[in-house]
Amino acid sequence: MTVPKEMPEKWARAGAPPSWSQKKPSWGTEEERRARANDREYNEKFQYALIPQISSLSWFTTIVPLVLVLTITAVKDATDDYFRHKSDNQVNNRHSQVLINGVLQQEQWMNVCVGDIIKLENNQFVAADLLLLSSSEPHGLCYIETAELDGETNMKVRQAIPVTSELGDISKLAKFDGEVICEPPNNKLDKFSGTLYWKGNKLALSNQNMLLRGCVLRNTEWCFGLVIFAGPDTKLMQNSGRTKFKRTSIDRLMNTLVLWIFGFLVCMGVILAIGNAIWEHEVGTRFQVYLPWDEAVDSAFFSGFLSFWSYIIILNTVVPISLYVSVEVIRLGHSYFINWDKKMFCMKKRTPAEARTTTLNEELGQVEYIFSDKTGTLTQNIMVFNKCSINGHSYGDVFDVLGHKAELGERPAPVDFSFNPLADKKFLFWDPSLLEAVKMGDPHTHEFFRLLSLCHTVMSEEKNEGELYYKAQSPDEGALVTAARNFGFVFRSRTPKTITVHELGTAITYQLLAILDFNNIRKRMSVIVRNPEGKIRLYCKGADTILLDRLHPSTQELLNSTADHLNEYAGDGLRTLVLAYKDLEEDYYEEWARRRLQASLAQDSREDRLASIYEEVESDMMLLGATAIEDKLQQGVPETIALLTLANIKIWVLTGDKQETAVNIGYSCKMLTDDMTEVFIVTGHTVLEVREELRKAREKMVDSSHTVGNGFTYQGKLSSSKLTSVLEAVAGEYALVINGHSLAHALEADMELEFLETACACKAVICCRVTPLQKAQVVELVKKYKKAVTLAIGDGANDVSMIKTAHIGVGISGQEGIQAVLASDYSFSQFKFLQRLLLVHGRWSYLRMCKFLCYFFYKNFAFTMVHFWFGFFCGFSAQTVYDQYFITLYNIVYTSLPVLAMGVFDQDVPEQRSMEYPKLYEPGQLNLLFNKREFFICIAQGIYTSVLMFFIPYGVFAEATRDDGTQLADYQSFAVTVATSLVIVVSVQIGLDTGYWTAINHFFIWGSLAVYFAILFAMHSNGLFDMFPNQFRFVGNAQNTLAQPTVWLTIVLTTAVCIMPVVAFRFLRLSLKPDLSDTVRYTQLVRKKQKAQHRCMRRVGRTGSRRSGYAFSHQEGFGELIMSGKNMRLSSLALSSFSTRSSSSWIESLRRKKSDSTNSPGGGAEKPLKG
């Protein structure tokens, strides 16, 4: 075997003349040496070695790949940071009008300071937490929408303190020098305490005087506010949580594996160093004259020490330096696929999907828990008057000529309301019989719509003649008043004591005697009015569960038919309200009004006294009918939730809305069904109550499992692990609904595990009235104990903390600003796109990344381990098998592009099949495609390949001869043969691993092979030798070696022996134990000429679960405000407008073995909703 000329003399073992001791290996041939005494500057010109050279490789073999990796990574990270910075600037550079030196000036949000006075105009976002000083409305009132803070879209009222409400003039505001002393910055959205000191007065401040950042000014022309908290001190930012650096589970695993590989490298270095020391001691001492040690080497032990570092340098390619940059390139490609996906582009809003980070794509294929906001995420927040029941007759359905109910697409033209000049043109209703009943003068129908036009707290404004604008406290209330308006009962205007309604064109003014306002306990509201004839009547609307118990016994027959209609409406997922009235005698009303006044003035138990008075008058009422309102979901929400559920993804809804809202939406989007065994509702106000309710829920689930004989028994308080195993075996489908005040106790350290195990045993979980911080705490709880990948999705600033806490944050670019989008990792405009993001892009990204990693580790070990085996045959001299240029180019040229193409473009099944078979998603959740076991399999295959790669050519070359009869065995011929075999084997292997061939894959794989041969022949050509004689000395070696049939036979034999076991193993696995993707591909092949079978979503009917239409009223209404007249303009007494599933058994068995997962519950007996 020929020893290369550039090889250091201390490592050569045979075939080198003694004169080589004067050669200088790294910089060329040293013909003579000069040394001048005491003249270091002169001597250093010759660059003589000062320490023993321990590397047999040139510097560029390691530096070039390392610099390339660091450069690409730096560019990619800089690009990510730039786009994040650009997004942040969009918010920071918003402008506000700030009062500076008595003049309003435009200032960027980032420059707003504490103590500044800001002017806001209608529909503007509030830039900081402000103390409201004055407004364009009477008494310093203003109206705000807090959707970004708490998800509630109903209007809220804020009022300036009386002493500042008159500061509407800029000159007065410029002289304002009040001082505020208040609480420090905190995250409590509903509380504020402070004091204003001005002109010697000490004035108390509360949350009713504050405008928080993230709110939007509505129906108020302008207002002025004093900045109390700005920037990170605002309550919005305090609730956002700390920004966390997110890393995928594969990233963490890769870091661990790289450390293991480094440890393996050290072990190999130690083994070869020991071998070198033994060889030098036993054999090398006999060659001291022929191969003397360096002057610095004085023993075999020290020679072994230097050999250790030599092998660390040679074998360093086993540590994948280029792995991380390759991963980043692949992730970048996946991100662009998401950005370019036309099926995730919303035409209506002209909004594409956007991957705002490039580091989390593969984790989209491993999600087990989704935490979703409700308002604006699942719903459009649009209420539509859909059906109603009046005097036992149901309206709203349309029937064809055969008497069958017509579907939406088969309905005729909507009802024509052209007879009514004040009708809302956007209002649609399809049943003409209701309008006919109105026109025919049916008294029950008239009274029904009269109630809807009177019993509310809606404000009206008529900017132009006939153009009415309603401002409603809740969307459903606005829908009811609009329905009455279109059917001829038009609410026109109001004063503190009157309501004017146009009834079929006739203006009638009712005297407003009292408003019995809504609250969360009453779940109803009433008005008492006196009509022009002097008759006093109470009109009431409220939740069916409350109102039906307060009806007169004489209405029993009507009640039965109305209850049937309510059940039907509830089965359609509609929100229901019951309407009733009661006539009051003059004497009774006078006496009742007197007692009501006394109760309202009571110093103690005022609310209880008033509730008792209201309870008295709201009894023995006469039933009028019921309304059914559709809370419009976003398009495709039920289908998306059903599909994700089939993929074994659990969906929890975390909303700031009240319980009724969340339950309604749960039924509408099919998270909750009447087929569920039971829906547990936790509403306890104390720790003991919450603990008891959770305990009872667990007992019921375990007791239910007894009925199917599962063998588990519940014995009091179980340990966490035992409880998990019991709850995993429960039979039936359960849901858990928990309120915010109960959740606060459930999240305490001593109860969080009980809550988590109960919730995870349920198919659906809904958390109501939760704060932004509680949302984040729930997500953190699941992350902490379940060790599952979590995804949070929302559209408002109240979701930012949750989005930041989850492994993956998704922002809906909707109506509630861009706070959620700015904090998110991915964004799009509709919830339905989530199924494509996870089941297609996420699953593909996970699959591609896993295949990439398996192949990457395989090819690196196959490449590097050849050096290890060669060490035993070269006297452990740290001599390399391959040429140094091959070592440099192997990872960055010969094998980089094919594996990148596979990592970017590979698919196992088409996107349609990914959506059609959601069970394909489960391997990612179970982390089956790349884990420690798969890593060791790849390493074993790489080592196996390296053994064959070295020993087959070694064995052949030991006896082989050339065509001319000379010995074939020489160092360079052996190196060319092994290198060529390696490139061909790894190219064939990636061809086997590629499941989806594109032109790019073909070009990269076969192009890399062509590039290898082109570079190989170029490096052994006369041209390069003439230009660089010291670097390319082996002229014609490649051409001579590859011209030998024996060499090609060796290459073919090596390739076959390396690849055939892999082919055989995959064939047997495909035949004996195919996974679901194999089955899907086979089915696709067999049926490629047939039309794809589309799964139809079965409409789930419901009966008996009626829900209140007051779900959107989250606080007491505007009744007291209306009756006081404070919100009435002196000119118009009106407000401005308000714009408003089968899977492979092996997957199931693995899932059962996973200790921290829960079983998919089965069906159970039907039970009503438990409260």
Side-chain angles (χ1 to χ4, degrees):
M1 194 174 288
T2 304
V3 180
K5 294 181 180 180
E6 74 271 26
M7 185 176 66
E9 67 272 16
K10 76 185 187 89
W11 303 122
R13 298 300 179 220
S19 61
W20 275 24
S21 61
Q22 296 301 316
K23 306 291 185 184
K24 193 164 190 317
S26 298
W27 296 274
T29 304
E30 182 181 353
E31 301 297 337
E32 62 181 3
R33 175 166 293 207
R34 296 185 179 185
R36 183 177 295 176
N38 296 319
D39 194 345
R40 280 198 169 190
E41 184 177 353
Y42 175 85
N43 295 331
E44 286 173 356
K45 293 178 182 179
F46 300 98
Q47 298 181 346
Y48 295 132
L50 301 179
I51 60 174
Q53 182 178 339
I54 62 174
S55 175
S56 54
L57 294 174
S58 298
W59 58 270
F60 56 80
T61 58
T62 302
I63 295 299
V64 170
L66 181 61
V67 170
L68 184 64
V69 166
L70 295 178
T71 301
I72 296 177
T73 304
V75 170
K76 179 260 172 190
D77 288 343
T79 304
D80 278 355
D81 291 343
Y82 169 74
F83 284 112
R84 287 273 186 179
H85 180 69
K86 188 176 179 181
S87 297
D88 291 341
N89 278 342
Q90 292 179 0
V91 174
N92 293 333
N93 292 328
R94 285 179 178 173
H95 285 84
S96 291
Q97 299 181 69
V98 181
L99 187 62
I100 301 176
N101 299 325
V103 180
L104 284 174
Q105 299 181 13
Q106 292 288 337
E107 279 287 342
Q108 294 176 337
W109 277 23
M110 59 190 297
N111 296 327
V112 171
C113 301
V114 173
D116 289 346
I117 294 179
I118 295 179
K119 180 181 181 181
L120 296 176
E121 295 179 345
N122 193 33
N123 296 326
Q124 276 191 345
F125 277 94
V126 181
D129 290 354
L130 309 178
L131 169 64
L132 179 61
L133 298 178
S134 61
S135 76
S136 58
E137 303 300 304
H139 306 283
L141 294 172
C142 75
Y143 299 90
I144 57 173
E145 184 181 280
T146 61
E148 280 226 4
L149 291 176
D150 53 19
E152 301 177 3
T153 54
N154 53 303
M155 296 298 99
K156 292 183 173 62
V157 180
R158 295 293 183 264
Q159 185 173 12
I161 54 178
V163 295
T164 65
S165 61
E166 303 301 324
L167 298 177
D169 184 73
I170 292 180
S171 60
K172 295 180 180 178
L173 285 166
K175 298 177 182 177
F176 178 69
D177 59 353
E179 181 180 358
V180 174
I181 298 178
C182 66
E183 61 189 17
N186 59 74
N187 58 18
K188 297 177 181 178
L189 296 172
D190 56 348
K191 293 181 180 179
F192 178 82
S193 61
T195 306
L196 171 64
Y197 296 87
W198 190 43
K199 294 184 177 179
N201 296 321
K202 182 179 178 181
L203 307 164
L205 304 176
S206 69
N207 201 51
Q208 287 299 309
N209 310 123
M210 296 294 295
L211 305 180
L212 302 184
R213 177 177 176 175
C215 298
V216 182
L217 191 66
R218 299 291 194 197
N219 308 107
T220 308
E221 290 184 16
W222 54 262
C223 73
F224 286 94
L226 174 67
V227 177
I228 303 298
F229 300 121
D233 292 339
T234 59
K235 291 181 182 288
L236 172 67
M237 299 303 292
Q238 291 283 311
N239 271 286
S240 294
R242 297 177 59 187
T243 300
K244 300 178 181 178
F245 178 67
K246 296 183 178 182
R247 306 180 68 180
T248 67
S249 57
I250 285 184
D251 274 336
R252 294 189 291 272
L253 178 59
M254 279 196 321
N255 291 340
T256 301
L257 296 181
V258 168
L259 290 177
W260 288 3
I261 292 173
F262 184 78
F264 181 68
L265 169 63
V266 172
C267 290
M268 288 193 296
V270 170
I271 291 172
L272 294 171
I274 293 173
N276 176 269
I278 294 174
W279 192 94
E280 290 288 359
H281 183 268
E282 299 294 333
V283 182
T285 53
R286 303 174 189 173
F287 295 87
Q288 286 296 306
V289 176
Y290 178 65
L291 286 175
W293 288 339
D294 286 343
E295 293 181 6
V297 179
D298 56 3
S299 67
F301 174 80
F302 190 64
S303 175
F305 173 76
L306 295 179
S307 179
F308 169 80
W309 294 108
S310 298
Y311 272 113
I312 291 296
I313 294 172
I314 291 173
L315 300 175
N316 79 86
T317 51
V318 78
V319 179
I321 299 175
S322 60
L323 172 66
Y324 290 95
V325 70
S326 301
V327 166
E328 294 303 327
V329 170
I330 291 173
R331 286 172 173 167
L332 185 63
H334 296 169
S335 299
Y336 278 116
F337 287 155
I338 294 172
N339 297 343
W340 295 338
D341 192 342
K342 293 182 179 180
K343 294 182 180 179
M344 296 173 67
F345 181 82
C346 179
M347 293 298 297
K348 183 178 179 181
K349 298 179 181 178
R350 308 295 300 175
T351 305
E354 181 183 4
R356 297 173 52 81
T357 181
T358 60
T359 59
L360 303 174
N361 294 323
E362 67 271 14
E363 202 146 64
L364 290 170
Q366 299 180 276
V367 174
E368 290 189 57
Y369 288 86
I370 292 177
F371 301 91
S372 175
D373 180 39
K374 181 197 71 67
T375 307
T377 303
L378 299 178
T379 68
Q380 300 179 42
N381 218 26
I382 299 175
M383 301 292 151
V384 177
F385 183 83
N386 194 290
K387 296 179 183 180
C388 64
S389 172
I390 303 176
N391 196 34
H393 190 282
S394 179
Y395 299 93
D397 288 322
V398 181
F399 299 90
D400 57 23
V401 292
L402 299 177
H404 300 299
K405 187 182 296 186
E407 295 299 328
L408 186 61
E410 304 168 350
R411 290 180 177 177
V415 175
D416 182 11
F417 293 105
S418 58
F419 79 97
N420 182 1
L422 296 176
D424 185 347
K425 295 179 175 58
K426 298 179 182 178
F427 180 83
L428 298 176
F429 197 77
W430 279 269
D431 187 357
S433 62
L434 182 56
L435 183 59
E436 293 173 7
V438 172
K439 291 182 177 180
M440 293 294 291
D442 178 60
H444 297 98
T445 306
H446 282 204
E447 198 65 18
F448 179 90
F449 285 113
R450 184 176 292 115
L451 185 152
L452 294 182
S453 65
L454 293 171
C455 185
H456 57 79
T457 57
V458 174
M459 307 301 295
S460 171
E461 182 175 7
E462 189 170 356
K463 291 188 175 180
N464 300 314
E465 181 65 28
E467 294 184 11
L468 286 175
Y469 296 90
Y470 289 154
K471 182 259 164 189
Q473 181 185 2
S474 61
D476 55 331
E477 193 163 61
L480 294 176
V481 177
T482 300
R485 167 184 174 179
N486 275 59
F487 282 99
F489 289 75
V490 184
F491 164 62
R492 199 65 183 263
S493 63
R494 76 190 316 148
T495 70
K497 299 298 181 183
T498 64
I499 299 178
T500 300
V501 178
H502 281 218
E503 298 184 0
L504 299 176
T506 304
I508 300 177
T509 299
Y510 292 85
Q511 184 181 354
L512 181 59
L513 302 178
I515 295 179
L516 284 57
D517 215 345
F518 170 89
N519 64 36
N520 288 330
I521 298 175
R522 286 168 38 77
K523 296 183 181 179
R524 62 189 184 277
M525 80 157 289
S526 301
V527 295
I528 300 177
V529 297
R530 190 196 307 271
N531 64 16
E533 290 78 30
K535 188 175 182 180
I536 300 176
R537 178 165 286 185
L538 175 143
Y539 291 109
C540 182
K541 66 181 181 185
D544 41 22
T545 54
I546 300 296
L547 225 61
L548 294 181
D549 296 333
R550 288 167 172 75
L551 299 178
H552 195 276
S554 63
T555 63
Q556 186 60 46
E557 184 177 349
L558 176 58
L559 172 60
N560 293 335
S561 59
T562 303
D564 292 338
H565 294 154
L566 287 169
N567 290 335
E568 178 188 341
Y569 301 156
D572 292 336
L574 304 177
R575 303 155 58 83
T576 56
L577 277 178
V578 172
L579 312 184
Y581 71 94
K582 178 180 181 180
D583 290 322
L584 304 178
E585 297 294 334
E586 184 75 32
D587 294 341
Y588 172 79
Y589 169 74
E590 294 291 342
E591 193 270 338
W592 178 87
R594 179 184 57 78
R595 289 188 287 118
R596 173 175 176 265
L597 179 62
Q598 291 177 350
S600 65
L601 298 175
Q603 297 297 319
D604 58 327
S605 304
R606 177 175 176 269
E607 289 78 10
D608 293 339
R609 292 173 185 245
L610 282 174
S612 177
I613 296 294
Y614 292 167
E615 188 86 14
E616 173 193 328
V617 74
E618 292 172 330
S619 60
D620 292 333
M621 294 182 287
M622 305 301 294
L623 180 62
L624 262 178
T627 62
I629 294 176
E630 181 183 2
D631 180 10
K632 295 186 77 67
L633 292 172
Q634 287 195 18
Q635 183 182 4
V637 167
E639 293 81 4
T640 299
I641 289 178
L643 202 61
L644 295 177
T645 302
L646 289 175
N648 207 57
I649 298 174
K650 295 178 174 60
I651 301 177
W652 294 19
V653 173
L654 311 178
T655 176
D657 289 342
K658 64 190 290 285
Q659 178 183 311
E660 286 85 349
T661 304
V663 172
N664 287 339
I665 298 303
Y667 279 107
S668 298
C669 65
K670 307 305 185 223
M671 280 183 64
L672 305 179
T673 69
D674 281 335
D675 295 330
M676 284 184 162
T677 308
E678 189 159 355
V679 178
F680 303 110
I681 298 183
V682 179
T683 58
H685 286 79
T686 66
V687 174
L688 293 178
E689 290 176 356
V690 174
R691 191 187 299 275
E692 181 65 17
E693 290 177 357
L694 291 175
R695 184 188 64 80
K696 289 181 178 178
R698 292 195 300 275
E699 281 185 347
K700 287 185 179 181
M701 286 190 280
V702 175
D703 289 343
S704 174
S705 68
H706 291 166
T707 62
V708 293
N710 60 13
F712 288 99
T713 56
Y714 181 83
Q715 299 177 346
K717 187 174 180 180
L718 299 174
S719 66
S720 173
S721 58
K722 185 102 177 223
L723 179 61
T724 302
S725 63
V726 171
L727 292 180
E728 281 179 353
V730 297
E733 293 185 349
Y734 297 90
L736 178 68
V737 180
I738 184 168
N739 281 313
H741 54 78
S742 304
L743 185 63
H745 298 304
L747 291 175
E748 292 180 2
D750 61 339
M751 205 191 303
E752 59 182 12
L753 265 178
E754 295 179 48
F755 164 68
L756 181 64
E757 299 300 345
T758 307
C760 289
C762 296
K763 181 180 179 182
V765 178
I766 299 176
C767 302
C768 323
R769 301 297 287 167
V770 295
T771 65
L773 193 59
Q774 283 179 324
K775 290 184 178 184
Q777 289 173 337
V778 171
V779 176
E780 187 62 42
L781 181 65
V782 174
K783 285 177 61 179
K784 179 179 178 181
Y785 290 107
K786 302 304 291 184
K787 307 300 182 186
V789 177
T790 59
L791 180 148
I793 179 170
D795 70 325
N798 59 318
D799 304 314
V800 168
S801 184
M802 170 178 72
I803 286 172
K804 287 184 176 180
T805 302
H807 291 98
I808 303 168
V810 178
I812 299 289
S813 49
Q815 304 294 328
E816 300 183 8
I818 59 172
Q819 292 291 334
V821 171
L822 291 178
S824 67
D825 305 304
Y826 301 89
S827 68
F828 41 71
S829 60
Q830 294 185 20
F831 182 84
K832 68 177 182 179
F833 294 146
L834 185 60
Q835 59 178 303
R836 186 168 177 83
L837 181 70
L838 298 184
L839 301 186
V840 178
H841 292 287
R843 202 181 71 80
W844 278 352
S845 294
Y846 174 71
L847 170 77
R848 293 162 176 165
M849 187 60 68
C850 292
K851 294 181 74 170
F852 163 80
L853 291 173
C854 289
Y855 177 79
F856 198 95
F857 287 120
Y858 156 76
K859 76 179 182 69
N860 270 25
F861 269 76
F863 165 65
T864 307
M865 290 299 294
V866 174
H867 294 306
F868 181 78
W869 310 126
F870 185 52
F872 291 89
F873 295 88
C874 68
F876 305 97
S877 60
Q879 172 64 25
T880 61
V881 177
Y882 313 113
D883 178 82
Q884 61 183 359
Y885 295 101
F886 179 83
I887 295 174
T888 304
L889 298 176
Y890 176 77
N891 272 323
I892 63 176
V893 175
Y894 300 150
T895 62
S896 61
L897 294 181
V899 70
L900 286 177
M902 182 181 70
V904 172
F905 298 108
D906 202 48
Q907 303 173 15
D908 56 347
V909 298
E911 60 182 71
Q912 299 90 339
R913 297 295 179 265
S914 295
M915 304 282 282
E916 189 176 341
Y917 298 96
K919 282 290 182 182
L920 287 168
Y921 191 79
E922 290 196 7
Q925 296 172 324
L926 296 170
N927 202 24
L928 296 179
L929 301 186
F930 186 75
N931 48 45
K932 294 173 182 176
R933 175 177 174 272
E934 293 295 321
F935 168 74
F936 286 117
I937 291 175
C938 299
I939 297 309
Q941 184 186 356
I943 294 175
Y944 165 79
T945 301
S946 71
V947 169
L948 298 176
M949 199 76 62
F950 175 77
F951 285 101
I952 290 178
Y954 186 87
V956 170
F957 273 51
E959 303 294 338
T961 60
R962 298 179 184 271
D963 293 339
D964 57 5
T966 59
Q967 181 72 22
L968 178 61
D970 68 77
Y971 172 79
Q972 280 299 321
S973 297
F974 180 76
V976 168
T977 304
V978 174
T980 304
S981 300
L982 175 65
V983 173
I984 292 176
V985 167
V986 296
S987 297
V988 173
Q989 180 66 47
I990 199 169
L992 291 175
D993 290 344
T994 301
Y996 181 73
W997 284 89
T998 66
I1000 296 175
N1001 292 86
H1002 281 289
F1003 178 75
F1004 282 172
I1005 291 176
W1006 314 128
S1008 295
L1009 270 175
V1011 168
Y1012 164 72
F1013 283 108
I1015 294 177
L1016 177 66
F1017 289 128
M1019 286 194 306
H1020 294 85
S1021 66
N1022 291 325
L1024 279 181
F1025 175 77
D1026 292 339
M1027 288 185 288
F1028 308 101
N1030 293 329
Q1031 296 295 323
F1032 302 98
R1033 300 187 179 93
F1034 301 99
V1035 182
N1037 179 74
Q1039 292 87 335
N1040 293 335
T1041 302
L1042 296 179
Q1044 303 300 317
T1046 305
V1047 171
W1048 281 107
L1049 181 61
T1050 303
I1051 293 172
V1052 171
L1053 178 62
T1054 304
T1055 303
V1057 177
C1058 289
I1059 296 300
M1060 288 309 295
V1062 178
V1063 175
F1065 172 77
R1066 294 187 181 182
F1067 176 78
L1068 290 174
R1069 189 187 66 178
L1070 190 62
S1071 302
L1072 302 178
K1073 196 176 182 181
D1075 57 30
L1076 186 56
S1077 62
D1078 296 327
T1079 307
V1080 172
R1081 283 198 302 271
Y1082 176 76
T1083 304
Q1084 185 180 2
L1085 273 175
V1086 173
R1087 302 179 179 178
K1088 61 181 178 180
K1089 294 184 179 179
Q1090 298 180 0
K1091 290 184 178 180
Q1093 299 295 319
H1094 298 287
R1095 188 171 2 95
C1096 298
M1097 305 302 298
R1098 182 173 63 87
R1099 185 180 178 86
V1100 182
R1102 298 178 49 246
T1103 58
S1105 297
R1106 301 192 297 271
R1107 292 163 326 267
S1108 165
Y1110 272 104
F1112 276 82
S1113 299
H1114 305 297
Q1115 58 180 16
E1116 292 199 14
F1118 292 163
E1120 185 176 348
L1121 195 63
I1122 290 172
M1123 295 297 289
S1124 70
K1126 288 183 177 180
N1127 64 332
M1128 303 295 177
R1129 288 186 182 276
L1130 298 179
S1131 57
S1132 62
L1133 292 174
L1135 291 175
S1136 56
S1137 65
F1138 170 48
S1139 314
T1140 32
R1141 140 176 158 148
S1142 69
S1143 178
S1144 302
S1145 60
W1146 62 277
I1147 288 184
E1148 294 300 335
S1149 62
L1150 275 172
R1151 184 170 294 285
R1152 283 194 293 270
K1153 292 177 183 177
K1154 196 177 181 187
S1155 61
D1156 59 346
S1157 64
T1158 56
N1159 264 349
S1160 299
E1166 180 178 341
K1167 290 187 181 181
L1169 181 69
K1170 299 297 181 184

